[in-house]
Amino acid sequence: MQDQSTRRALVGLGAILGAMTSAAFAQSTEQTPEQISMSPAMIAAMGGGNGKSDDEFPKFSDVSDDYTKVVSTADGSSSMWNIWIRNKDGQMLGEIPPKAMGQRYFVRATIASGSLWAGHASSTDYFYLKQFNKKLMIIRPETLTRSTGDPESKASVGRHFTDRVVADVPIVTMGPSGGPVVDLDRLLVRGGGTFLGWQGNGFQADLAEIHKAKAFPGNVELAFDVPNRSGQLQTVHYSISTIPDNTGYKPRESDLRVGYFTTVYRDLGKLGAVDKWTRYINRWHLEKADPSLKMSPPKEPIVFYVEHTVPIRYRQWVRAGVEYWNKAFENIGIRDAIEVRYQDKRTGAHMDKDPEDVRYNFLMWLSNDISTAIGPSRVHPLTGQILDADIVLTDGWIRAFWTQANELLPDLALEGMSPQDLAWLDRNPRWDPRVRLAPPAEREQIVMQRQARRGIDRFAGHPAANVDHSVLGDEEFDGLGLPSQNFTVCNMGKMRSFQMANALMHFEVLGMFQDEHEGDEEGDGEGEPKEEKGDTLDGIPDWFVGPLLADLVAHEVGHTIGLRHNFKASAIYTLDEINSDKLRGIKPFTGSVMDYNPVNINLDEDRIQGDYAMIDIGPYDKWAIEYGYTFDDPKKVLERVSEPELAYLTDEDTWGPDPLARRYDFSANPIEYAEQLMELATYHRERLLDSFVKDGDSWAKARRGYNITLGQHFNAISIMSNWIGGSFIVRDKKGDPGDRQPITPVDAEVQRDALAFVIDNAFEDEAFGLTNELMKYLTVDKRWDASVPTSQLFADPNWPVHDRILGIQASVMTMLMNPTTLQRVFDNEFIVPSDEDALTLAELLVTVEENIFRELESRPTERYTAREPMISSLRRNLQREYLERLIDLTRPDQFSGAYAKPMANLATHHLREMLGEIKPFVDGSGSNRIDPYSLAHLSEAKIRIEQALDATVIYNTDEIGGGGTTVLMLGREADEMRNRR
């Protein structure tokens, strides 16, 4: 053990070393945004004792033999870095001039070709450079923890929170400007994993060719054509730029009542636990060209270039979606804040601008057959100023008519589930919709993957808990953090794909327009308003698909100007209002384009057909822009927070208790919307064989159509399940107008209506519209070629009715009886005063069980047969599933929380009652009248219940060497164990 003097000496040495480390690596933690650029003295100090004289390196003329210097500026002015290339072997040298050594840089790395996501930035990073001996280090500054306090606080923070070296590269010589010269192709190709993550590993660097090299005063654009590890040729583009400082930009504090992406840091110069966090909203530096004018053009507009790859037929709608937002900026006195310019390959207009170049904002179009749209941005990591942004659209959502809607069912089943629920599902795969809705052959693999992941992924892999803040990855929240605020995998495109499949199926059933291959471009069938005839876009009338595209673009533009999702915005109008002259063609039918707004299809003959899609940004959008960009006091803007049209809840609220903070729902009365979805599903199912499948079509189209209706059906159930145990949430602060309480439990009768809807549409055989005739046509096409996915190749021509329906019903049981829903129901019993009505755990269990086992309510009065059983095959599966769930619920260790024991007691009580109801059917004279299927089913149920009731749970088995594990034993075994103890 160290004595006290030794410890003091070590502490003193640590302080000295810490101060040295702070001086070398933690500059940014002690600087304000205006001080971030290093002075010449600081640069000299960094190079200091570690630098090498020119004599210790080869001569630059020898190293640069056969290289050509890159000059990209028209006047030949100096560039940010000096670049030399040698095309014959793909070599590239770069000199970092001494004056640029301490500069902060952004690098954006992009796979520009040879990928489904070509053009989509794979990562952004923030760094500075430091010479050490014969190496150049790339260092990422610490930005999350800073100090604006006294000198002692700054010194302490600088000692503890240091910068990070992320890469280094050998210095090959010293350049003409006196700066280090490095092998850039070695750094950017061979070391591509540093900037591109897994996508940059395995490049065949010896086969790399230089695709592009441009050097400008504020940025360099460098690209290489190189085979990846599989041999596929890819273009890897790096855009490296300086970060502008002293622009006059003033950060604006964020507020949880309005949804902006944020740049956050912890200020340890402040002592308050809450005050130490500083949160700036992400926004552009927009100023009036003439501040004296009430309405002025901007000093510098936000300009989006529409890439030449965007089809001409869609460009007017792309422009419309971008320019919607100008109305919001006009409210704060800026006219034409956002401009749209077209890149044109035929005329050469703007073809000198690269989408990967950080100086330009591009809207790109990817033909990759994937339904996605994203709007990432590059943000100053110290202030939140948006520096540039891009929008990436894919064409998959337009081709989504043949979407296999069943692939979306697990997503719909998990909608609204919390990280707690996902962790619980990992421990209980039999309850997991991702398992139950998967093809039988894939379930074992899914379970094994879940088991292998347990203990590694935080919160069972919830997308919000397992993200890379700095890399644009494949999870919804990847990139939502430092060093650059990026919003990546926005599921708006995926949702739009699902909605398009539903809508186009509806229009085809009505005969409103035909498939492209049938040659009817205008459509003259029932239901299409004559005034809406016009051009067709890929076989779809422009009056339908155009506004949907504009809405999608507007959603992504919203992200690029700082706004987050608003999933409560779709609940401000009723369906009657939406489908009325009050809104149609006049006002958008939800509060925000930042929601996942559905296609509006009206089946009610007493209402007119409203707009199919949003026709503008909503009132919330204008209010949010006013808060973020106003030149007046933003606090005054927040005084309107309680206005119904400004309702706001975002991504992290979707796994909370508010049923209106929900993707894929619609209207102020979602129960009415859910009923409309069921009406649509029923309407389409009844017309699958006659109207949907046309002469000459494969009958496999009927199966695809039925799967689409199943998606509508399941979405309606999922929407309603969120209302059980729900509470309405508002983000108001004390003193806000309206004096609204933050939590209001959903009315008990509304919860009962939602529960009744779920039961009627999930547990009744008739709800699924499956007839003997329809089942004979739900087949698949078999082709063994690249056009057919493996899942379809292995699919049986017979639609797996029992497995598929049971999978849906099992998933619905999980929606109703997962840990979070049960806890919310139980807690609401306490929150609601005892003299007021409330939905209880007891009522929830009774209501579900009475429906599932209603066949036990009366004795059989007639004789049943195997062909006409007392309990149908679908109902037997349902009852067996429920019984297993009920047995699981009798185990207090199944759930954690105060509701677990009351739930276990209730479940045990229900098992006893159910046993009494089953016995007369299997032991009495009634068994002679029951069909063999129902008798065997109930006999097995009786045995399972008796075994469960005979079981005893023994806790704290570490007393007998069990290591603290909870053990479930039958009664006799448990008694023997007690006797041994």
Side-chain angles (χ1 to χ4, degrees):
M1 180 178 293
Q2 299 170 341
D3 59 29
Q4 188 172 4
S5 61
T6 302
R7 287 198 301 273
R8 279 199 301 266
L10 288 174
V11 170
L13 177 60
I16 296 171
L17 292 175
M20 293 170 63
T21 302
S22 173
F25 292 100
Q27 303 285 344
S28 64
T29 61
E30 301 184 19
Q31 294 176 304
T32 64
E34 292 75 18
Q35 297 170 326
I36 196 65
S37 296
M38 289 187 172
S39 66
M42 295 167 64
I43 296 169
M46 289 181 66
N50 295 325
K52 297 293 180 182
S53 67
D54 292 354
D55 295 338
E56 297 184 52
F57 290 102
K59 292 182 178 180
F60 176 76
S61 58
D62 294 337
V63 172
S64 63
D65 187 38
D66 292 336
Y67 281 79
T68 301
K69 185 174 183 179
V70 175
V71 179
S72 303
T73 54
D75 59 0
S77 57
S78 60
S79 56
M80 181 183 82
W81 294 351
N82 296 319
I83 307 294
W84 295 268
I85 61 174
R86 191 168 65 194
N87 284 316
K88 66 180 181 180
D89 55 359
Q91 296 299 300
M92 182 182 295
L93 298 176
E95 179 194 14
I96 292 81
K99 66 179 181 180
M101 185 63 70
Q103 173 67 49
R104 264 52 175 174
Y105 298 97
F106 255 126
V107 57
R108 180 167 67 174
T110 306
I111 302 294
S113 72
S115 165
L116 287 175
W117 294 100
H120 172 211
S122 298
S123 71
T124 61
D125 214 338
Y126 174 51
F127 70 94
Y128 65 91
L129 303 169
K130 179 180 183 293
Q131 182 180 345
F132 180 82
N133 204 351
K134 290 189 175 183
K135 288 188 176 182
L136 189 68
M137 294 187 293
I138 299 173
I139 304 173
R140 181 182 298 152
E142 167 61 42
T143 58
L144 185 58
T145 302
R146 315 175 200 171
S147 174
T148 59
D150 54 35
E152 292 77 13
S153 170
K154 292 180 179 180
S156 177
V157 169
R159 182 176 67 214
H160 291 95
F161 300 95
T162 58
D163 302 348
R164 183 182 302 274
V165 177
V166 296
D168 65 81
V169 63
I171 298 172
V172 296
T173 185
M174 301 303 290
S177 300
V181 176
V182 298
D183 186 342
L184 284 178
D185 56 279
R186 171 174 175 166
L187 173 65
L188 301 178
V189 180
R190 195 176 302 278
T194 300
F195 304 101
L196 288 160
W198 64 268
Q199 295 182 87
N201 293 325
F203 285 136
Q204 300 180 41
D206 55 331
L207 298 179
E209 296 180 285
I210 296 173
H211 179 86
K212 177 190 303 178
K214 296 181 180 180
F216 302 100
N219 65 301
V220 294
E221 307 297 320
L222 311 174
F224 302 86
D225 293 329
V226 58
N228 62 17
R229 66 171 66 247
S230 68
Q232 183 176 11
L233 284 169
Q234 294 185 316
T235 299
V236 185
H237 186 111
Y238 293 92
S239 185
I240 305 172
S241 59
T242 58
I243 297 181
D245 290 305
N246 302 315
T247 63
Y249 177 82
K250 296 180 180 179
R252 177 159 297 175
E253 294 279 350
S254 71
D255 192 284
L256 57 79
R257 290 167 288 184
V258 60
Y260 274 85
F261 297 120
T262 56
T263 293
V264 180
Y265 69 90
R266 179 175 53 172
D267 188 346
L268 294 185
K270 300 178 180 178
L271 297 180
V274 176
D275 294 340
K276 70 182 180 183
W277 288 102
T278 297
R279 303 174 181 88
Y280 296 142
I281 67 170
N282 293 348
R283 61 176 183 150
W284 293 83
H285 187 196
L286 271 179
E287 300 175 290
K288 290 183 177 181
D290 186 346
S292 67
L293 295 176
K294 183 178 181 181
M295 185 70 67
S296 167
K299 182 180 293 184
E300 290 187 20
I302 303 169
V303 179
F304 277 98
Y305 293 91
V306 177
E307 192 184 23
H308 67 91
T309 57
V310 177
I312 293 174
R313 58 190 178 277
Y314 290 120
R315 291 185 186 179
Q316 65 166 315
W317 301 103
V318 169
R319 174 188 285 273
V322 177
E323 292 181 345
Y324 281 169
W325 289 97
N326 277 331
K327 299 173 185 177
F329 289 104
E330 287 172 5
N331 286 346
I332 62 169
I334 300 180
R335 181 181 289 111
D336 299 325
I338 304 179
E339 294 182 4
V340 178
R341 299 172 187 171
Y342 294 119
Q343 191 182 55
D344 195 316
K345 197 168 187 177
R346 292 169 299 180
T347 65
H350 302 297
M351 291 302 296
D352 59 324
K353 300 174 178 65
D354 298 312
E356 297 85 11
D357 190 333
V358 296
R359 294 176 298 167
Y360 307 111
N361 312 305
F362 262 83
L363 194 150
M364 293 173 282
W365 187 275
L366 305 184
S367 297
N368 60 7
D369 216 19
I370 297 175
S371 302
T372 298
I374 54 175
S377 59
R378 186 173 64 103
V379 178
H380 196 301
L382 300 180
T383 65
Q385 179 184 352
I386 298 176
L387 303 174
D388 76 287
D390 293 303
I391 295 169
V392 181
L393 301 177
T394 69
D395 62 357
W397 67 275
I398 297 175
R399 306 183 194 188
F401 186 63
W402 297 124
T403 293
Q404 292 292 321
N406 55 294
E407 296 175 1
L408 189 63
L409 296 186
D411 291 342
L412 294 173
L414 295 178
E415 184 64 32
M417 287 198 178
S418 67
Q420 173 192 2
D421 292 330
L422 294 186
W424 172 72
L425 290 175
D426 270 6
R427 298 191 301 272
N428 297 273
R430 194 162 52 83
W431 289 65
D432 195 334
R434 293 166 294 186
V435 176
R436 301 305 298 269
L437 292 170
E442 298 178 14
R443 291 172 190 165
E444 183 177 358
Q445 180 184 9
I446 293 174
V447 172
M448 292 175 63
Q449 290 173 343
R450 297 267 185 272
Q451 292 174 342
R453 195 189 66 196
R454 285 180 60 187
I456 299 175
D457 283 352
R458 300 178 62 212
F459 297 101
H462 193 284
N466 298 274
V467 302
D468 188 328
H469 290 301
S470 62
V471 176
L472 305 185
D474 57 0
E475 291 289 359
E476 184 172 356
F477 297 94
D478 279 354
L480 186 57
L482 297 171
S484 181
Q485 298 285 341
N486 295 282
F487 192 83
T488 57
V489 184
C490 171
N491 284 321
M492 177 67 167
K494 183 178 180 181
M495 183 280 300
R496 186 50 45 86
S497 168
F498 177 52
Q499 295 290 345
M500 282 286 287
N502 294 333
L504 296 183
M505 178 181 184
H506 179 64
F507 293 145
E508 185 166 356
V509 166
L510 291 178
M512 289 174 63
F513 51 85
Q514 305 296 327
D515 279 342
E516 187 174 20
H517 71 272
E518 296 182 40
D520 184 354
E521 293 191 348
E522 294 192 359
D524 55 3
E526 171 190 358
E528 180 189 340
K530 292 182 180 179
E531 67 272 16
E532 291 183 329
K533 291 185 179 181
D535 290 332
T536 60
L537 306 179
D538 297 319
I540 307 171
D542 62 351
W543 53 260
F544 175 70
V545 71
L548 290 174
L549 176 56
D551 176 44
L552 180 62
V553 171
H555 180 98
E556 302 307 332
V557 172
H559 286 319
T560 66
I561 56 179
L563 298 186
R564 296 192 62 193
H565 288 134
N566 180 1
F567 289 124
K568 200 168 183 175
S570 60
I572 67 172
Y573 297 123
T574 66
L575 288 178
D576 281 339
E577 292 173 316
I578 291 168
N579 294 288
S580 71
D581 291 328
K582 174 183 176 182
L583 292 184
R584 180 183 177 183
I586 300 172
K587 297 173 65 176
F589 54 53
T590 76
S592 174
V593 294
M594 303 313 297
D595 203 332
Y596 289 175
N597 295 310
V599 178
N600 173 42
I601 298 177
N602 174 42
L603 278 184
D604 191 335
E605 295 181 354
D606 295 329
R607 294 191 297 232
I608 69 171
Q609 171 63 55
D611 294 316
Y612 290 109
M614 291 281 282
I615 60 171
D616 203 346
I617 60 173
Y620 164 83
D621 301 320
K622 295 177 181 178
W623 178 66
I625 292 300
E626 185 180 2
Y627 173 78
Y629 290 86
T630 184
F631 303 103
D632 299 324
D633 183 1
K635 293 181 180 178
K636 299 290 291 183
V637 178
L638 293 172
E639 293 176 358
R640 299 176 53 204
V641 65
S642 59
E643 294 180 15
E645 290 185 334
L646 307 182
Y648 165 69
L649 290 175
T650 191
D651 295 84
E652 56 267 29
D653 298 297
T654 59
W655 57 82
D658 195 324
L660 296 176
R662 158 89 196 202
R663 305 175 183 91
Y664 312 114
D665 68 344
F666 194 36
S667 90
N669 185 1
I671 292 180
E672 185 182 17
Y673 177 61
E675 291 172 345
Q676 178 174 288
L677 288 178
M678 283 306 306
E679 291 174 8
L680 277 170
T682 301
Y683 183 87
H684 295 155
R685 286 167 182 167
E686 292 173 349
R687 292 161 176 79
L688 281 176
L689 303 184
D690 296 332
S691 303
F692 184 60
V693 182
K694 306 293 194 302
D695 289 345
D697 286 341
S698 167
W699 283 111
K701 185 178 178 181
R703 182 159 171 165
R704 291 193 293 266
Y706 184 80
N707 283 337
I708 291 174
T709 71
L710 204 57
Q712 294 172 325
H713 186 155
F714 199 58
N715 186 32
I717 294 172
S718 179
I719 290 171
M720 286 300 95
S721 69
N722 284 170
W723 286 75
I724 298 163
S727 296
F728 299 118
I729 305 296
V730 296
R731 294 189 171 202
D732 298 16
K733 295 183 178 181
K734 185 175 181 179
D736 280 341
D739 195 27
R740 297 187 298 183
Q741 60 190 34
I743 304 171
T744 303
V746 173
D747 182 78
E749 281 303 314
V750 175
Q751 293 186 60
R752 292 188 184 106
D753 289 344
L755 180 58
F757 179 92
V758 171
I759 290 172
D760 291 345
N761 292 289
F763 300 154
E764 299 294 341
D765 292 359
E766 298 78 13
F768 296 94
L770 290 167
T771 64
N772 305 120
E773 182 70 11
L774 180 60
M775 288 293 298
K776 297 173 184 177
Y777 292 91
L778 301 184
T779 187
V780 293
D781 289 331
K782 293 280 189 175
R783 294 186 184 90
W784 200 325
D785 58 39
S787 68
V788 178
T790 303
S791 58
Q792 182 174 328
L793 183 64
F794 291 161
D796 196 272
N798 293 324
W799 194 72
V801 55
H802 289 96
D803 189 79
R804 186 59 52 83
I805 298 304
L806 180 59
I808 290 174
Q809 292 173 331
S811 299
V812 172
M813 287 186 198
T814 299
M815 295 177 194
L816 296 177
M817 296 187 292
N818 62 75
T820 298
T821 296
L822 295 177
Q823 178 176 313
R824 287 171 182 165
V825 171
F826 192 50
D827 286 347
N828 278 350
E829 292 183 41
F830 183 86
I831 296 172
V832 177
S834 58
D835 59 346
E836 296 180 13
D837 190 18
L839 179 71
T840 64
L841 280 179
E843 182 182 349
L844 173 62
L845 207 59
V846 166
T847 304
V848 172
E849 187 175 305
E850 284 182 347
N851 174 274
I852 292 177
F853 280 93
R854 67 166 180 270
E855 288 86 351
L856 303 182
E857 293 178 357
S858 59
R859 302 290 179 269
T861 58
E862 56 182 283
R863 189 175 299 279
Y864 293 95
T865 68
R867 293 296 296 133
E868 295 183 349
M870 182 183 85
I871 308 173
S872 72
S873 58
L874 295 180
R875 296 279 295 178
R876 292 195 300 270
N877 287 343
L878 173 66
Q879 291 175 4
R880 189 180 303 110
E881 183 71 28
Y882 177 77
L883 180 58
E884 293 298 328
R885 301 293 180 98
L886 197 62
I887 291 172
D888 282 351
L889 292 175
T890 63
R891 297 168 46 196
D893 65 317
Q894 177 72 3
F895 301 132
S896 60
Y899 68 94
K901 185 60 177 175
M903 189 73 246
N905 292 340
L906 283 171
T908 302
H909 174 68
H910 277 257
L911 284 177
R912 293 193 183 101
E913 288 191 333
M914 191 182 300
L915 181 63
E917 293 174 352
I918 289 175
K919 281 183 176 180
F921 286 87
V922 298
D923 296 336
S925 58
S927 62
N928 297 327
R929 295 180 176 274
I930 301 178
D931 60 278
Y933 282 125
S934 299
L935 180 59
H937 163 67
L938 292 177
S939 298
E940 174 65 18
K942 173 177 174 291
I943 294 172
R944 288 289 293 117
I945 294 173
E946 289 173 341
Q947 290 176 337
L949 292 175
D950 195 36
T952 301
V953 177
I954 301 178
Y955 295 99
N956 298 324
T957 52
D958 55 316
E959 298 176 8
I960 53 174
T965 304
T966 300
V967 181
L968 182 64
M969 297 181 177
L970 295 180
R972 183 180 301 173
E973 295 173 315
D975 290 341
E976 292 175 355
M977 178 65 76
R978 291 193 192 92
N979 292 335
R980 287 197 296 270
R981 291 172 60 190

